[in-house]
Amino acid sequence: MTESVSPRLREMRWWDIDPVLELEKELFPEDAWSRGMFWSELAHARGAEATRRYLVAEVDGAETGSGVRVIGYAGLATAGEQADIQTIAVARDHWGTGLGATLLTELLTAASEFECAEIMLECRVDNVRAQKLYERFGFAPIGFRRGYYQPGNVDALVMRLTTDPDSSSAAGSPSVQGTEIHD
Protein backbone atom coordinates (compact mmCIF):
# COMPACT_ATOMS: atom_id res chain seq x y z
CA MET A 1 0.00 0.00 0.00
CA THR A 2 1.32 3.43 -0.87
CA GLU A 3 1.46 6.20 1.69
CA SER A 4 -1.37 8.72 1.37
CA VAL A 5 0.88 11.78 1.60
CA SER A 6 2.34 13.33 -1.56
CA PRO A 7 6.07 12.75 -1.99
CA ARG A 8 8.48 15.57 -1.20
CA LEU A 9 11.50 16.08 -3.40
CA ARG A 10 14.75 17.34 -1.98
CA GLU A 11 18.47 17.29 -2.64
CA MET A 12 20.06 13.90 -1.96
CA ARG A 13 22.59 14.04 0.85
CA TRP A 14 25.11 11.55 2.23
CA TRP A 15 22.67 10.29 4.88
CA ASP A 16 20.32 9.20 2.10
CA ILE A 17 22.82 6.74 0.65
CA ASP A 18 21.76 3.77 2.83
CA PRO A 19 18.02 3.98 2.04
CA VAL A 20 18.82 4.71 -1.62
CA LEU A 21 21.09 1.64 -1.74
CA GLU A 22 18.27 -0.52 -0.33
CA LEU A 23 15.96 0.66 -3.09
CA GLU A 24 18.73 0.35 -5.69
CA LYS A 25 19.40 -3.29 -4.77
CA GLU A 26 15.70 -4.11 -4.80
CA LEU A 27 15.07 -2.53 -8.21
CA PHE A 28 18.37 -3.32 -9.95
CA PRO A 29 19.66 -6.52 -8.30
CA GLU A 30 22.11 -7.44 -11.07
CA ASP A 31 23.62 -4.05 -11.76
CA ALA A 32 23.02 -1.98 -8.62
CA TRP A 33 25.28 0.95 -7.98
CA SER A 34 27.71 0.69 -5.08
CA ARG A 35 27.96 2.95 -2.05
CA GLY A 36 31.17 4.39 -3.52
CA MET A 37 29.44 5.30 -6.77
CA PHE A 38 26.82 7.34 -4.92
CA TRP A 39 29.47 8.97 -2.72
CA SER A 40 31.45 9.92 -5.81
CA GLU A 41 28.40 11.46 -7.49
CA LEU A 42 27.39 13.42 -4.40
CA ALA A 43 30.93 14.75 -4.07
CA HIS A 44 30.27 16.72 -7.27
CA ALA A 45 26.78 17.90 -6.37
CA ARG A 46 27.44 20.92 -4.17
CA GLY A 47 29.25 24.21 -4.34
CA ALA A 48 30.15 26.63 -7.09
CA GLU A 49 31.78 23.93 -9.24
CA ALA A 50 28.90 21.44 -8.97
CA THR A 51 28.30 19.29 -12.05
CA ARG A 52 25.71 16.94 -10.55
CA ARG A 53 22.13 17.13 -9.31
CA TYR A 54 20.75 14.28 -7.21
CA LEU A 55 17.29 14.16 -5.65
CA VAL A 56 15.33 11.89 -3.38
CA ALA A 57 11.57 11.57 -3.13
CA GLU A 58 10.31 10.80 0.35
CA VAL A 59 7.03 10.31 2.14
CA ASP A 60 6.00 10.08 5.75
CA GLY A 61 5.47 6.42 6.51
CA ALA A 62 3.05 6.98 9.39
CA GLU A 63 0.74 4.24 8.09
CA THR A 64 3.53 1.70 8.34
CA GLY A 65 5.17 3.20 11.42
CA SER A 66 8.42 3.65 9.53
CA GLY A 67 8.94 7.42 9.78
CA VAL A 68 10.22 9.02 6.59
CA ARG A 69 10.69 6.64 3.66
CA VAL A 70 12.72 7.21 0.49
CA ILE A 71 10.51 6.06 -2.40
CA GLY A 72 12.56 7.35 -5.32
CA TYR A 73 15.72 9.04 -6.42
CA ALA A 74 17.26 10.52 -9.54
CA GLY A 75 20.57 11.92 -10.68
CA LEU A 76 22.03 14.05 -13.44
CA ALA A 77 25.66 14.67 -14.44
CA THR A 78 26.76 17.53 -16.67
CA ALA A 79 29.82 18.33 -18.77
CA GLY A 80 29.73 21.51 -20.80
CA GLU A 81 26.49 21.70 -22.76
CA GLN A 82 25.68 18.01 -22.34
CA ALA A 83 23.83 16.40 -19.46
CA ASP A 84 23.49 12.69 -18.73
CA ILE A 85 20.64 11.26 -16.73
CA GLN A 86 22.53 8.85 -14.53
CA THR A 87 19.62 7.20 -12.74
CA ILE A 88 15.92 7.39 -12.01
CA ALA A 89 14.29 4.90 -9.67
CA VAL A 90 10.86 4.64 -8.07
CA ALA A 91 9.78 2.09 -5.45
CA ARG A 92 7.54 -0.56 -7.00
CA ASP A 93 4.59 0.37 -4.78
CA HIS A 94 4.72 3.87 -6.33
CA TRP A 95 4.89 2.81 -9.98
CA GLY A 96 2.15 4.44 -12.01
CA THR A 97 1.77 7.42 -9.66
CA GLY A 98 3.65 9.92 -11.84
CA LEU A 99 6.66 10.05 -9.54
CA GLY A 100 9.06 8.99 -12.31
CA ALA A 101 7.77 11.84 -14.49
CA THR A 102 8.15 14.25 -11.57
CA LEU A 103 11.75 13.19 -10.99
CA LEU A 104 12.53 13.42 -14.71
CA THR A 105 10.99 16.90 -14.86
CA GLU A 106 13.26 18.01 -12.01
CA LEU A 107 16.33 16.62 -13.79
CA LEU A 108 15.39 18.40 -17.01
CA THR A 109 14.96 21.63 -15.05
CA ALA A 110 18.42 21.10 -13.56
CA ALA A 111 19.87 20.48 -17.04
CA SER A 112 18.35 23.78 -18.13
CA GLU A 113 19.87 25.54 -15.10
CA PHE A 114 23.26 24.04 -16.06
CA GLU A 115 22.61 25.47 -19.57
CA CYS A 116 22.79 22.06 -21.25
CA ALA A 117 21.48 21.88 -24.80
CA GLU A 118 21.50 18.09 -24.98
CA ILE A 119 20.46 15.42 -22.49
CA MET A 120 21.54 11.81 -22.93
CA LEU A 121 20.64 8.62 -21.12
CA GLU A 122 21.02 4.87 -21.29
CA CYS A 123 18.13 2.56 -20.58
CA ARG A 124 18.05 -1.22 -20.47
CA VAL A 125 16.56 -2.52 -23.72
CA ASP A 126 14.17 -4.64 -21.65
CA ASN A 127 12.91 -1.66 -19.57
CA VAL A 128 9.97 -0.67 -21.76
CA ARG A 129 8.28 1.23 -18.91
CA ALA A 130 11.23 3.64 -18.67
CA GLN A 131 11.55 3.96 -22.44
CA LYS A 132 7.92 5.04 -22.72
CA LEU A 133 8.43 7.66 -20.01
CA TYR A 134 11.47 9.09 -21.79
CA GLU A 135 9.68 9.12 -25.14
CA ARG A 136 6.78 11.09 -23.61
CA PHE A 137 9.32 13.76 -22.68
CA GLY A 138 10.74 13.90 -26.20
CA PHE A 139 13.76 11.61 -25.90
CA ALA A 140 14.53 9.73 -29.11
CA PRO A 141 16.49 6.49 -29.44
CA ILE A 142 19.81 7.01 -31.23
CA GLY A 143 21.68 3.75 -30.76
CA PHE A 144 22.76 0.91 -28.53
CA ARG A 145 25.60 0.07 -26.18
CA ARG A 146 26.11 -3.66 -26.43
CA GLY A 147 26.50 -5.50 -23.12
CA TYR A 148 26.39 -2.22 -21.17
CA TYR A 149 24.62 -3.60 -18.11
CA GLN A 150 26.77 -6.15 -16.31
CA PRO A 151 26.92 -8.86 -15.15
CA GLY A 152 23.79 -9.73 -17.16
CA ASN A 153 25.32 -8.52 -20.44
CA VAL A 154 22.14 -6.57 -21.27
CA ASP A 155 22.26 -3.95 -24.01
CA ALA A 156 21.50 -0.30 -23.33
CA LEU A 157 19.29 1.80 -25.55
CA VAL A 158 20.87 5.26 -25.86
CA MET A 159 18.37 8.11 -26.01
CA ARG A 160 18.82 11.82 -26.55
CA LEU A 161 16.80 14.99 -26.03
CA THR A 162 18.01 18.15 -27.73
CA THR A 163 16.80 21.32 -26.01
CA ASP A 164 18.69 23.91 -28.02
CA PRO A 165 16.40 25.21 -30.79
CA ASP A 166 19.42 26.13 -32.92
CA SER A 167 20.78 22.60 -33.10
CA SER A 168 19.54 19.97 -35.52
CA SER A 169 17.71 16.81 -34.55
CA ALA A 170 19.37 13.59 -33.49
CA ALA A 171 21.98 14.16 -36.18
CA GLY A 172 23.27 17.18 -34.24
CA SER A 173 25.89 15.06 -32.51
CA PRO A 174 27.28 12.53 -34.96
CA SER A 175 28.96 10.26 -32.44
CA VAL A 176 28.57 9.29 -28.85
CA GLN A 177 31.57 7.37 -27.58
CA GLY A 178 30.94 3.62 -27.34
CA THR A 179 27.56 3.85 -29.05
CA GLU A 180 26.32 2.40 -32.31
CA ILE A 181 24.44 5.38 -33.77
CA HIS A 182 21.31 4.72 -35.82
CA ASP A 183 19.99 8.06 -37.09
Side-chain angles (χ1 to χ4, degrees), residues 76 78 83 106-117 119 163:
L76 178 87
T78 65
E106 289 296 316
L107 293 183
L108 295 177
T109 299
S112 177
E113 291 168 356
F114 280 113
E115 299 181 356
C116 295
I119 300 106
T163 60

Side-chain angles (χ1 to χ4, degrees), residues 82-96:
Q82 183 173 318
D84 289 288
I85 293 179
Q86 302 287 68
T87 186
I88 296 179
V90 174
R92 282 189 178 91
D93 62 337
H94 284 268
W95 284 5

Side-chain angles (χ1 to χ4, degrees), residues 22 34 47 71 83 85-86 95 118 125 145 149 154 172:
E22 287 179 33
S34 68
I71 59 166
I85 293 179
Q86 302 287 68
W95 284 5
E118 182 177 70
V125 293
R145 290 193 174 153
Y149 293 98
V154 177

Side-chain angles (χ1 to χ4, degrees), residues 3-166:
E3 290 82 352
S4 60
V5 180
S6 296
R8 292 176 306 279
L9 299 184
R10 63 171 176 79
E11 177 186 11
M12 185 187 294
R13 300 299 304 273
W14 65 267
W15 53 80
D16 295 311
I17 292 176
D18 283 342
V20 163
L21 278 174
E22 287 179 33
L23 194 51
E24 177 83 1
K25 289 173 184 171
E26 176 188 327
L27 296 171
F28 311 109
E30 284 190 358
D31 47 17
W33 282 23
S34 68
R35 179 180 312 279
M37 291 170 78
F38 280 108
W39 271 105
S40 178
E41 290 297 296
L42 292 181
H44 300 283
R46 304 201 81 202
E49 301 297 316
T51 58
R52 306 289 194 273
R53 173 89 165 129
Y54 277 77
L55 308 164
V56 293
E58 62 184 12
V59 292
D60 292 322
E63 295 175 11
T64 60
S66 63
V68 175
R69 177 178 166 228
V70 172
I71 59 166
Y73 55 92
L76 178 87
T78 65
E81 291 187 2
Q82 183 173 318
D84 289 288
I85 293 179
Q86 302 287 68
T87 186
I88 296 179
V90 174
R92 282 189 178 91
D93 62 337
H94 284 268
W95 284 5
T97 64
L99 181 55
T102 299
L103 289 165
L104 180 54
T105 298
E106 289 296 316
L107 293 183
L108 295 177
T109 299
S112 177
E113 291 168 356
F114 280 113
E115 299 181 356
C116 295
E118 182 177 70
I119 300 106
M120 305 288 295
L121 62 85
E122 292 90 15
C123 179
R124 288 176 63 110
V125 293
D126 57 0
N127 190 345
V128 176
R129 173 187 289 271
Q131 291 170 34
K132 288 182 182 214
L133 170 67
Y134 300 136
E135 287 170 355
R136 280 196 341 248
F137 277 78
F139 283 85
I142 62 164
F144 297 91
R145 290 193 174 153
R146 303 285 178 207
Y148 183 79
Y149 293 98
Q150 295 297 328
N153 202 36
V154 177
D155 294 346
L157 175 65
V158 180
M159 302 181 83
R160 174 174 48 211
L161 174 66
T162 303
T163 60
D164 182 0
D166 294 331

